[in-house]
Amino acid sequence: MAELKTGPVRLSGYALKLRRVFNAAFKDKYKSGELDASVINEDVSELNKKIYDVLVNKYEIPKDAIVNITVNYDIGEDKHLKINDISIEVFDKDEILSKNATKEVKLRLGLEA
């Protein structure tokens, strides 16, 4: 079993990032002919659709929220991506906390009285 992580990325860009991470991980296997890029990309597209449906359609998470996706996977005998586990961390902007933290730092820097 292998693991891939997107790292922190905006929800609006997670699908592209996830595809890039998978393609980078399989670059050598594509070149050697061990894996077919179109098959893997089709599998990643299906994964992205399911993630989108949950995050955007069901939970209505704003597209500017930050997500961090970790996928544990294997390649099946049929050369398709097999997802064993997935973890999605969602970090949404907290307006009140952001405002208070900014104000406090400005006070400590002497930028506000």
Side-chain angles (χ1 to χ4, degrees), residues 45-84:
S45 291
E46 284 303 311
L47 174 62
N48 280 333
K49 287 176 190 175
K50 291 173 183 167
I51 293 170
Y52 183 89
D53 191 44
V54 171
L55 297 182
V56 176
N57 294 336
K58 180 169 184 172
Y59 290 108
E60 298 178 352
I61 296 171
K63 292 185 179 183
D64 63 345
I66 303 297
V67 296
N68 187 11
I69 302 172
T70 303
V71 180
N72 291 309
Y73 69 92
D74 285 314
I75 299 296
E77 289 182 25
D78 60 356
K79 305 291 185 192
H80 279 270
L81 196 57
K82 179 181 175 235
I83 306 300
N84 298 318

